[in-house]
Short mmCIF file of all heavy atoms in Angstrom, two decimals:
data_model
loop_
_atom_site.label_atom_id
_atom_site.label_comp_id
_atom_site.label_asym_id
_atom_site.label_seq_id
_atom_site.Cartn_x
_atom_site.Cartn_y
_atom_site.Cartn_z
N GLY A 1 83.98 96.72 95.55
CA GLY A 1 83.58 97.37 96.86
C GLY A 1 83.91 98.85 96.78
O GLY A 1 85.04 99.23 97.01
N LEU A 2 82.88 99.64 96.59
CA LEU A 2 83.04 101.11 96.56
C LEU A 2 82.27 101.76 97.62
O LEU A 2 82.82 102.55 98.45
CB LEU A 2 82.58 101.62 95.15
CG LEU A 2 82.46 103.15 95.01
CD1 LEU A 2 83.82 103.81 95.19
CD2 LEU A 2 81.86 103.52 93.69
N THR A 3 80.95 101.47 97.72
CA THR A 3 80.09 102.14 98.70
C THR A 3 80.40 101.86 100.11
O THR A 3 80.71 100.69 100.49
CB THR A 3 78.60 101.77 98.39
OG1 THR A 3 78.31 102.05 97.00
CG2 THR A 3 77.69 102.59 99.23
N GLU A 4 80.35 102.88 100.93
CA GLU A 4 80.57 102.74 102.41
C GLU A 4 79.48 103.53 103.12
O GLU A 4 78.69 104.30 102.54
CB GLU A 4 81.96 103.37 102.76
CG GLU A 4 83.13 102.66 102.09
CD GLU A 4 84.46 103.26 102.58
OE1 GLU A 4 84.47 104.14 103.44
OE2 GLU A 4 85.50 102.87 101.97
N PRO A 5 79.42 103.31 104.45
CA PRO A 5 78.38 104.04 105.20
C PRO A 5 78.45 105.57 105.04
O PRO A 5 77.39 106.23 105.06
CB PRO A 5 78.70 103.66 106.68
CG PRO A 5 79.28 102.25 106.58
CD PRO A 5 80.09 102.29 105.25
N GLU A 6 79.66 106.09 104.84
CA GLU A 6 79.79 107.53 104.66
C GLU A 6 80.22 107.92 103.25
O GLU A 6 80.61 109.08 102.97
CB GLU A 6 80.85 108.09 105.62
CG GLU A 6 80.48 107.86 107.14
CD GLU A 6 79.23 108.55 107.52
OE1 GLU A 6 78.96 109.70 107.00
OE2 GLU A 6 78.51 108.08 108.38
N ALA A 7 80.20 106.97 102.31
CA ALA A 7 80.62 107.23 100.96
C ALA A 7 79.75 106.46 99.95
O ALA A 7 80.05 105.41 99.55
CB ALA A 7 82.10 106.78 100.76
N GLY A 8 78.61 107.05 99.70
CA GLY A 8 77.69 106.52 98.69
C GLY A 8 77.73 107.36 97.40
O GLY A 8 78.63 107.17 96.60
N SER A 9 76.87 108.35 97.33
CA SER A 9 76.93 109.28 96.20
C SER A 9 78.31 110.08 96.29
O SER A 9 78.83 110.41 95.28
CB SER A 9 75.79 110.26 96.21
OG SER A 9 74.53 109.53 96.00
N ASP A 10 78.73 110.37 97.47
CA ASP A 10 80.06 110.99 97.69
C ASP A 10 81.13 109.95 97.80
O ASP A 10 81.71 109.73 98.83
CB ASP A 10 79.97 111.85 99.01
CG ASP A 10 81.24 112.64 99.20
OD1 ASP A 10 82.07 112.75 98.24
OD2 ASP A 10 81.44 113.11 100.34
N ALA A 11 81.37 109.26 96.68
CA ALA A 11 82.18 108.08 96.68
C ALA A 11 83.64 108.40 97.00
O ALA A 11 84.39 107.57 97.45
CB ALA A 11 82.08 107.38 95.37
N GLY A 12 84.03 109.67 96.76
CA GLY A 12 85.39 109.99 97.07
C GLY A 12 85.69 110.18 98.53
O GLY A 12 86.81 110.35 98.96
N ASN A 13 84.65 110.04 99.37
CA ASN A 13 84.79 110.20 100.82
C ASN A 13 85.08 108.89 101.47
O ASN A 13 84.65 108.62 102.64
CB ASN A 13 83.55 110.84 101.42
CG ASN A 13 83.75 111.29 102.85
OD1 ASN A 13 84.84 111.75 103.18
ND2 ASN A 13 82.69 111.19 103.64
N ALA A 14 85.71 107.98 100.76
CA ALA A 14 86.00 106.65 101.36
C ALA A 14 86.84 106.72 102.64
O ALA A 14 87.73 107.56 102.76
CB ALA A 14 86.74 105.80 100.34
N ARG A 15 86.40 105.92 103.65
CA ARG A 15 87.11 105.91 104.93
C ARG A 15 87.97 104.63 105.05
O ARG A 15 88.83 104.56 105.95
CB ARG A 15 86.08 105.96 106.05
CG ARG A 15 85.19 107.16 106.01
CD ARG A 15 85.95 108.43 106.29
NE ARG A 15 85.12 109.63 106.21
CZ ARG A 15 84.42 110.11 107.25
NH1 ARG A 15 84.43 109.44 108.41
NH2 ARG A 15 83.67 111.19 107.12
N THR A 16 87.71 103.61 104.28
CA THR A 16 88.51 102.40 104.29
C THR A 16 89.96 102.83 103.97
O THR A 16 90.23 103.58 103.04
CB THR A 16 88.01 101.39 103.26
OG1 THR A 16 86.72 100.93 103.68
CG2 THR A 16 88.94 100.18 103.24
N ARG A 17 90.86 102.35 104.77
CA ARG A 17 92.26 102.80 104.67
C ARG A 17 93.21 101.65 104.51
O ARG A 17 93.03 100.59 105.12
CB ARG A 17 92.65 103.62 105.94
CG ARG A 17 94.06 104.21 105.88
CD ARG A 17 94.26 105.19 106.98
NE ARG A 17 93.50 106.40 106.80
CZ ARG A 17 93.97 107.45 106.05
NH1 ARG A 17 95.14 107.37 105.44
NH2 ARG A 17 93.22 108.50 105.87
N ALA A 18 94.23 101.80 103.62
CA ALA A 18 95.28 100.84 103.52
C ALA A 18 96.62 101.49 103.78
O ALA A 18 96.93 102.55 103.27
CB ALA A 18 95.26 100.33 102.05
N THR A 19 97.35 100.87 104.73
CA THR A 19 98.64 101.43 105.11
C THR A 19 99.79 100.42 104.70
O THR A 19 99.62 99.19 104.84
CB THR A 19 98.73 101.62 106.62
OG1 THR A 19 98.38 100.41 107.30
CG2 THR A 19 97.74 102.71 107.01
N GLU A 20 100.85 100.93 104.20
CA GLU A 20 101.95 100.16 103.62
C GLU A 20 102.99 99.86 104.73
O GLU A 20 103.36 100.71 105.54
CB GLU A 20 102.58 100.93 102.50
CG GLU A 20 103.64 100.05 101.74
CD GLU A 20 104.23 100.84 100.55
OE1 GLU A 20 104.05 102.06 100.54
OE2 GLU A 20 104.85 100.18 99.68
N ASN A 21 103.51 98.63 104.71
CA ASN A 21 104.53 98.25 105.58
C ASN A 21 105.38 97.19 104.93
O ASN A 21 105.10 96.00 104.96
CB ASN A 21 103.97 97.70 106.90
CG ASN A 21 105.07 97.39 107.90
OD1 ASN A 21 106.21 97.79 107.80
ND2 ASN A 21 104.71 96.56 108.92
N GLY A 22 106.53 97.64 104.25
CA GLY A 22 107.41 96.73 103.67
C GLY A 22 106.87 95.79 102.63
O GLY A 22 107.08 94.56 102.70
N GLY A 23 106.19 96.34 101.67
CA GLY A 23 105.63 95.54 100.56
C GLY A 23 104.31 94.86 100.85
O GLY A 23 103.79 94.10 100.03
N THR A 24 103.78 95.15 102.01
CA THR A 24 102.46 94.61 102.43
C THR A 24 101.57 95.77 102.80
O THR A 24 101.96 96.73 103.37
CB THR A 24 102.59 93.62 103.58
OG1 THR A 24 103.39 92.54 103.24
CG2 THR A 24 101.21 93.06 103.99
N TRP A 25 100.28 95.63 102.41
CA TRP A 25 99.29 96.64 102.71
C TRP A 25 98.32 96.04 103.72
O TRP A 25 97.81 94.96 103.57
CB TRP A 25 98.55 97.08 101.49
CG TRP A 25 99.35 97.85 100.52
CD1 TRP A 25 100.16 97.29 99.54
CD2 TRP A 25 99.55 99.27 100.43
NE1 TRP A 25 100.82 98.31 98.82
CE2 TRP A 25 100.42 99.52 99.37
CE3 TRP A 25 98.99 100.35 101.19
CZ2 TRP A 25 100.82 100.83 99.04
CZ3 TRP A 25 99.36 101.60 100.83
CH2 TRP A 25 100.29 101.83 99.78
N THR A 26 98.00 96.82 104.79
CA THR A 26 97.06 96.45 105.79
C THR A 26 95.80 97.27 105.64
O THR A 26 95.90 98.54 105.69
CB THR A 26 97.66 96.64 107.24
OG1 THR A 26 98.86 95.86 107.36
CG2 THR A 26 96.63 96.18 108.27
N ILE A 27 94.68 96.62 105.44
CA ILE A 27 93.43 97.30 105.12
C ILE A 27 92.51 97.22 106.31
O ILE A 27 92.29 96.11 106.84
CB ILE A 27 92.77 96.63 103.88
CG1 ILE A 27 93.74 96.72 102.70
CG2 ILE A 27 91.48 97.31 103.52
CD1 ILE A 27 93.28 95.92 101.46
N ASN A 28 91.88 98.32 106.62
CA ASN A 28 90.84 98.38 107.67
C ASN A 28 89.71 99.25 107.18
O ASN A 28 89.92 100.34 106.64
CB ASN A 28 91.39 98.99 108.97
CG ASN A 28 92.30 98.00 109.75
OD1 ASN A 28 91.81 97.09 110.43
ND2 ASN A 28 93.60 98.14 109.56
N GLY A 29 88.49 98.76 107.40
CA GLY A 29 87.34 99.57 106.96
C GLY A 29 86.13 98.71 106.68
O GLY A 29 86.12 97.53 107.07
N ALA A 30 85.15 99.30 106.02
CA ALA A 30 83.89 98.56 105.73
C ALA A 30 83.30 99.01 104.42
O ALA A 30 83.44 100.17 103.99
CB ALA A 30 82.89 98.75 106.87
N LYS A 31 82.62 98.12 103.75
CA LYS A 31 81.86 98.47 102.52
C LYS A 31 80.41 97.97 102.74
O LYS A 31 80.14 97.05 103.54
CB LYS A 31 82.51 97.75 101.30
CG LYS A 31 83.93 98.11 101.06
CD LYS A 31 84.08 99.54 100.63
CE LYS A 31 85.58 99.85 100.33
NZ LYS A 31 85.73 101.26 99.81
N GLN A 32 79.52 98.52 101.97
CA GLN A 32 78.13 98.15 102.09
C GLN A 32 77.44 98.06 100.73
O GLN A 32 77.91 98.72 99.72
CB GLN A 32 77.33 99.02 103.04
CG GLN A 32 77.17 100.48 102.60
CD GLN A 32 76.39 101.29 103.60
OE1 GLN A 32 76.20 100.90 104.72
NE2 GLN A 32 75.93 102.48 103.17
N PHE A 33 76.34 97.32 100.66
CA PHE A 33 75.56 97.20 99.40
C PHE A 33 76.40 96.54 98.27
O PHE A 33 76.23 96.92 97.14
CB PHE A 33 74.96 98.51 98.93
CG PHE A 33 74.24 99.28 99.98
CD1 PHE A 33 74.30 100.67 100.05
CD2 PHE A 33 73.43 98.62 100.94
CE1 PHE A 33 73.64 101.40 101.00
CE2 PHE A 33 72.73 99.36 101.92
CZ PHE A 33 72.83 100.68 101.93
N ILE A 34 77.21 95.57 98.61
CA ILE A 34 78.16 95.00 97.62
C ILE A 34 77.49 93.71 97.01
O ILE A 34 77.07 92.78 97.75
CB ILE A 34 79.48 94.66 98.24
CG1 ILE A 34 80.05 95.87 98.97
CG2 ILE A 34 80.45 94.17 97.13
CD1 ILE A 34 80.12 97.14 98.12
N THR A 35 77.39 93.64 95.72
CA THR A 35 76.80 92.57 94.97
C THR A 35 77.82 91.47 94.60
O THR A 35 78.88 91.81 94.17
CB THR A 35 76.14 93.10 93.69
OG1 THR A 35 75.19 94.15 94.05
CG2 THR A 35 75.36 92.03 92.97
N ASN A 36 77.40 90.19 94.80
CA ASN A 36 78.23 89.04 94.39
C ASN A 36 79.40 88.78 95.27
O ASN A 36 80.25 87.97 94.89
CB ASN A 36 78.66 89.16 92.92
CG ASN A 36 77.51 89.00 91.92
OD1 ASN A 36 76.46 88.51 92.22
ND2 ASN A 36 77.76 89.48 90.71
N ALA A 37 79.51 89.43 96.39
CA ALA A 37 80.70 89.24 97.19
C ALA A 37 80.69 88.01 98.13
O ALA A 37 81.78 87.55 98.53
CB ALA A 37 80.96 90.50 98.11
N GLY A 38 79.52 87.49 98.37
CA GLY A 38 79.43 86.44 99.39
C GLY A 38 78.89 85.10 98.88
O GLY A 38 78.39 84.29 99.68
N THR A 39 78.96 84.81 97.61
CA THR A 39 78.46 83.57 97.08
C THR A 39 79.47 82.43 97.24
O THR A 39 80.68 82.75 97.54
CB THR A 39 78.10 83.66 95.57
OG1 THR A 39 79.27 83.66 94.81
CG2 THR A 39 77.28 84.94 95.27
N ASP A 40 79.12 81.22 97.02
CA ASP A 40 80.02 80.12 97.13
C ASP A 40 81.06 80.13 95.99
O ASP A 40 82.10 79.44 96.12
CB ASP A 40 79.29 78.79 97.06
CG ASP A 40 78.35 78.57 98.29
OD1 ASP A 40 78.52 79.32 99.29
OD2 ASP A 40 77.43 77.72 98.17
N ILE A 41 80.80 80.84 94.96
CA ILE A 41 81.77 80.89 93.81
C ILE A 41 82.45 82.23 93.67
O ILE A 41 83.15 82.46 92.72
CB ILE A 41 81.05 80.53 92.49
CG1 ILE A 41 79.85 81.41 92.18
CG2 ILE A 41 80.62 79.08 92.51
CD1 ILE A 41 79.26 81.18 90.82
N THR A 42 82.30 83.12 94.64
CA THR A 42 82.96 84.43 94.57
C THR A 42 84.46 84.22 94.76
O THR A 42 84.87 83.52 95.65
CB THR A 42 82.41 85.38 95.68
OG1 THR A 42 81.01 85.57 95.46
CG2 THR A 42 83.11 86.71 95.59
N GLY A 43 85.25 84.85 93.91
CA GLY A 43 86.69 84.76 93.97
C GLY A 43 87.39 85.89 94.65
O GLY A 43 88.38 85.69 95.35
N HIS A 44 86.91 87.11 94.40
CA HIS A 44 87.58 88.27 94.97
C HIS A 44 86.60 89.41 95.02
O HIS A 44 85.56 89.46 94.41
CB HIS A 44 88.79 88.65 94.11
CG HIS A 44 88.36 89.36 92.79
ND1 HIS A 44 87.98 88.72 91.70
CD2 HIS A 44 88.30 90.72 92.52
CE1 HIS A 44 87.64 89.57 90.76
NE2 HIS A 44 87.84 90.80 91.22
N VAL A 45 87.07 90.46 95.72
CA VAL A 45 86.43 91.83 95.66
C VAL A 45 87.54 92.82 95.37
O VAL A 45 88.63 92.71 95.94
CB VAL A 45 85.71 92.17 96.91
CG1 VAL A 45 86.59 92.22 98.10
CG2 VAL A 45 84.94 93.48 96.77
N ALA A 46 87.31 93.71 94.47
CA ALA A 46 88.25 94.80 94.24
C ALA A 46 87.68 96.02 95.00
O ALA A 46 86.50 96.39 94.77
CB ALA A 46 88.33 95.13 92.77
N ILE A 47 88.48 96.61 95.85
CA ILE A 47 87.95 97.69 96.73
C ILE A 47 88.77 98.93 96.57
O ILE A 47 89.95 98.94 96.13
CB ILE A 47 87.96 97.30 98.19
CG1 ILE A 47 89.41 97.11 98.67
CG2 ILE A 47 87.16 95.98 98.43
CD1 ILE A 47 89.54 97.03 100.22
N THR A 48 88.11 100.08 96.83
CA THR A 48 88.78 101.34 96.96
C THR A 48 89.25 101.59 98.43
O THR A 48 88.52 101.23 99.34
CB THR A 48 87.84 102.49 96.57
OG1 THR A 48 86.69 102.46 97.37
CG2 THR A 48 87.46 102.40 95.13
#
């Protein structure tokens, strides 16, 4: 998961944010145009 509504060709402009709290990260945001993320056999997505 790389591409976002505001971060396509400008991939460094990611808005999805992860904040740390005592060994846990809380992630908020959105990705788009992601391949293989929603099948019955999908195991994970690696995101920026």
Side-chain angles (χ1 to χ4, degrees):
L2 171 63
T3 305
E4 300 182 6
E6 300 296 327
S9 295
D10 183 15
N13 191 37
R15 302 294 179 85
T16 296
R17 182 169 291 275
T19 55
E20 187 180 17
N21 183 16
T24 298
W25 292 87
T26 301
I27 302 171
N28 286 280
K31 301 291 182 178
Q32 64 182 15
F33 309 143
I34 309 305
T35 304
N36 290 341
T39 76
D40 294 343
I41 57 174
T42 300
H44 78 277
V45 61
I47 67 165
T48 57

